[in-house]
Amino acid sequence: MAGAWAAALLGTLLLCRLWHSGARKCRAAAMAALVLACIAAALMAAASTADRFAAGVGTGTSRLRMWRDALRLWNEAAWLGHGGDTWRTMFRAIQSSPYVGGEVHSGLLDLALDTGLLGIALLAGWMLLTLRSIRCFAPRLLPPVLVFVLHGAVDFDWSFALAWMLVTWLAAWAAALKAEADFMSPPPFTKHNSTEASPVSAADRIQVSAYGGAVDATVLKPVNQPYSSLRGSSWSPKRSTAPAFVYVDVCVRACSCIYTCIYTAFSHRISGESKRYALLLLLACWLGGTVCMTALHTWAELEYRQAREEWVSKETRYEHLRAAYRLNPARTDVAIALARTLPHQAAAAVLLNGLSYAPHNFELYSELGRLAFLAGNGYQAGQYWTEAIALNRYDHQTQSAALYWMEQTAVREVRQGRIEQAGQTAAIGVQIYDRYQKLAVQVKAEHMRNDRRFLLQASAVTTGENLRRMAAGSFGRLLDLANKLK
C-alpha cells in the first residue's frame, strides 16, 4: 500500500510536469497517462472492495457484524451510554461471530457506546461551531478537518489523542485568524461617524487567507456600489451562501443563542477576577487528580512486578500483592493473584469486589468457578463457569477450562460420597458441552470469519462424554479414577 501511494505521488508530479511543459505531444501523453491511471485506480478499488466483502470472511463483512453488534449494545443505554471503554470490555459478550476487534472501527459508534446521545449532541455542537469558524475565516483548512472528522466516523481514528490534537489545533488556528480579523476591523457604523459612502465591513475590508495573511479588499472590489445596480448583474445575494451549509448555520446559530443566554444569566453575578481564579482552581484540581492517579497506578505496577519475581518468598509476595491491590483495587490481574494467596472466604471477597469494578470480566468469573471447586460446591461452580462462558463464548480455552473444572468437581463429589450432587454437577457440565459443540458446528457450517480460531477441542470432546456418563449415573470409571487419585 505504501508503494502504491509513493508511485501515485511520483506519477502525479510527472503528469504535472508534462502538462505544464506547453508542448502538444506532452499534453496528449499526460492526458493518456491520466486516463490509464484512473482506470487502474478504479480496478484496484474494485478488487479491494471485493476482497473486503468476500463471502463471509472479508474485513468489510466483519466490520458490518461489528457495527450491528455495537448498535445492539448501544440500544441498551442509548441516552447516557455504558461508560468508558465499553466496546473493549464488552464486545466478547455480544459478538455474533468469532472476530477479533478491540476497536469498533467507528468513532461515532464508539462515542455513542461510551456517552450515549448526550455525548454525540455535545460533540456535534462543537464540530458545527468549529466547521463554521473554519469555513468563514480559514476555508483552506476545511478539507483536512473534514478528512479527520469523516474518516474518524467510520474508523478508529478518534481513539487516538493525536487526531483530536490536530483537529483542535486547526480550530485554534481558525479562531486566531478570526481574532486577527476582528482586531483589524473598523469601529461599528453609527450615525455620528456615518458618511455618504456606505461603510466597509470587516468581511469586505479584510480578506483573510488560511495562512494568516490579510489583504485590503477595497482594492479588489468596489464597496460603494449600491445593491440596486447589482440586481441586473450575474451576482445575486442567494448565491453568496452555500446551500450545503444552510442547516449547519441554523444549528450553529441555535447553539450560539443557548450559549449567549447561559453566559448572560451568570456573567453578571461573577466578576472577571473570580472567574479567572475559579478556572485556575478547576485546572489545578484536574491536573492534581491526574498526577495523583497516575502515581498510584505506577506504584501499584511496581509492587505487582516485584511480587512476580521468582526469587521472592511467599510472605514477601503476599505483602507486595496486598500493597498493589490496596493502591489499585480495579486491576483484575492483581485481584486474581492476591486471591490465590488467601483463604476461601477472603479470596471470594476480593474477587467479588473486583466484579464491582469490572462486572463484564470473564477472568474473575473463571477464578470464582475454580474457587467454588476447591470449596466443593458444584452447583455454584457451574453458575460461575456459565457466566464466564457467556462473557467470552468464542474462546475455546474458556470452554475447555469450564468442562475440565466441572469434571473435577464431579469427581471430587464422588470421592466424598455425594453421588446425587455429582450427578447434578455433571448435568450442568453436559449443558455447557452441548452449547459449546453447537456453537462450534455453527461457526464451521456458516463459514464465519474465525479470527479467534474457535473450534471444538479433542480434549473437550473426551471431557464432555465423561460428564454425559456421570449425568446418566455411570460412576464406575470415575470411582476407579478416584481410587487412583487417593
Side-chain angles (χ1 to χ4, degrees):
M1 183 60 71
W5 281 108
L9 179 61
L10 293 177
T12 303
L13 294 176
L14 179 61
L15 290 176
C16 184
R17 183 70 178 271
L18 291 175
W19 182 262
H20 291 285
S21 63
R24 290 185 177 181
K25 293 183 178 180
C26 292
R27 289 196 172 187
M31 184 62 67
L34 180 61
V35 172
L36 292 177
C38 291
I39 295 175
L43 292 176
M44 290 179 62
S48 177
T49 304
D51 181 67
R52 286 178 177 270
F53 288 93
V57 296
T59 58
T61 306
S62 297
R63 291 197 183 190
L64 291 177
R65 289 180 180 271
M66 287 183 187
W67 293 344
R68 185 175 63 231
D69 296 340
L71 287 174
R72 189 172 68 251
L73 181 61
W74 166 76
N75 193 34
E76 298 176 2
W79 291 103
L80 299 178
H82 295 273
D85 285 341
T86 297
W87 178 256
R88 296 177 186 87
T89 58
M90 298 180 63
F91 82 93
R92 296 178 184 87
I94 53 94
Q95 61 181 163
S96 57
S97 63
Y99 54 77
V100 175
E103 300 287 346
V104 72
H105 287 277
S106 173
L108 194 63
L109 278 176
D110 196 12
L111 186 66
L113 290 173
D114 293 346
T115 61
L117 291 178
L118 180 61
I120 293 293
L122 293 176
L123 179 66
W126 179 75
M127 285 290 186
L128 291 175
L129 290 172
T130 301
L131 292 175
R132 179 177 180 271
S133 178
I134 292 175
R135 185 177 69 89
C136 293
F137 299 97
R140 292 186 181 180
L141 299 180
L142 192 59
V145 174
L146 288 176
V147 168
F148 283 125
V149 173
L150 297 179
H151 188 267
V154 295
D155 213 330
F156 55 90
D157 300 1
W158 292 1
S159 299
F160 302 102
L162 179 61
W164 292 107
M165 291 172 63
L166 290 174
V167 173
T168 305
W169 172 59
L170 293 174
W173 192 354
L177 295 178
K178 177 180 181 299
E180 182 181 356
D182 293 338
F183 177 76
M184 299 179 64
S185 62
F189 172 74
T190 60
K191 293 182 179 180
H192 301 286
N193 59 7
S194 62
T195 58
E196 293 182 359
S198 302
V200 182
S201 63
D204 293 330
R205 291 194 60 208
I206 300 175
Q207 182 177 350
V208 182
S209 69
Y211 300 98
V215 181
D216 193 353
T218 56
V219 301
L220 301 178
K221 62 179 181 180
V223 298
N224 296 331
Q225 187 175 2
Y227 171 71
S228 58
S229 63
L230 295 173
R231 296 183 63 181
S233 64
S234 61
W235 182 89
S236 64
K238 294 182 180 179
R239 297 179 184 177
S240 62
T241 303
F245 288 93
V246 172
Y247 296 104
V248 175
D249 288 338
V250 172
C251 295
V252 168
R253 291 180 185 276
C255 294
S256 300
C257 291
I258 295 174
Y259 171 77
T260 304
C261 294
I262 296 175
Y263 181 80
T264 306
F266 293 97
S267 60
H268 68 281
R269 299 182 182 179
I270 306 176
S271 62
E273 187 175 359
S274 300
K275 291 179 182 178
R276 192 178 302 112
Y277 284 135
L279 182 60
L280 291 176
L281 180 62
L282 182 62
L283 183 61
C285 292
W286 175 65
L287 291 177
T290 303
V291 171
C292 181
M293 293 298 295
T294 304
L296 289 176
H297 290 179
T298 304
W299 191 2
E301 177 65 23
L302 294 176
E303 293 285 349
Y304 182 58
R305 288 184 179 181
Q306 291 180 1
R308 295 176 61 185
E309 296 292 340
E310 296 181 357
W311 53 268
V312 177
S313 62
K314 291 184 178 180
E315 293 77 9
T316 307
R317 180 177 290 108
Y318 168 72
E319 292 298 331
H320 285 305
L321 288 174
R322 185 178 178 184
Y325 179 75
R326 188 165 51 246
L327 292 169
N328 188 7
R331 282 194 58 168
T332 302
D333 51 355
V334 174
I336 293 175
L338 178 61
R340 291 179 178 178
T341 64
L342 296 174
H344 178 267
Q345 296 295 334
V350 169
L351 295 175
L352 291 175
N353 184 56
L355 287 176
S356 64
Y357 293 100
H360 300 283
N361 189 282
F362 70 95
E363 294 178 347
L364 290 173
Y365 282 103
S366 301
E367 190 65 22
L368 284 168
R370 193 184 70 88
L371 194 64
F373 154 74
L374 296 176
N377 192 338
Y379 176 78
Q380 194 172 22
Q383 297 300 316
Y384 283 136
W385 280 112
T386 302
E387 188 65 28
I389 292 174
L391 295 174
N392 192 18
R393 59 176 181 161
Y394 285 108
D395 183 21
H396 63 84
Q397 294 181 353
T398 304
Q399 298 271 10
S400 300
L403 294 174
Y404 170 77
W405 287 109
M406 293 304 296
E407 182 188 25
Q408 294 300 313
T409 305
V411 170
R412 186 168 185 174
E413 290 174 343
V414 169
R415 292 175 58 187
Q416 294 174 354
R418 297 184 294 168
I419 304 300
E420 184 178 355
Q421 288 83 353
Q424 295 176 358
T425 302
I428 297 176
V430 169
Q431 293 177 4
I432 294 175
Y433 173 70
D434 289 341
R435 287 194 292 266
Y436 178 23
Q437 187 181 33
K438 182 179 179 181
L439 195 62
V441 171
Q442 180 184 1
V443 170
K444 187 176 180 179
E446 296 182 5
H447 302 286
M448 296 182 181
R449 183 182 177 92
N450 196 358
D451 297 330
R452 303 186 66 180
R453 303 295 187 267
F454 180 74
L455 49 85
L456 186 62
Q457 297 286 329
S459 59
V461 175
T462 303
T463 306
E465 294 302 325
N466 291 337
L467 289 169
R468 197 181 301 277
R469 281 192 293 269
M470 282 190 287
S474 178
F475 297 101
R477 295 181 58 186
L478 292 174
L479 289 174
D480 295 338
L481 178 61
N483 292 328
K484 291 180 181 180
L485 294 175
K486 287 184 179 181

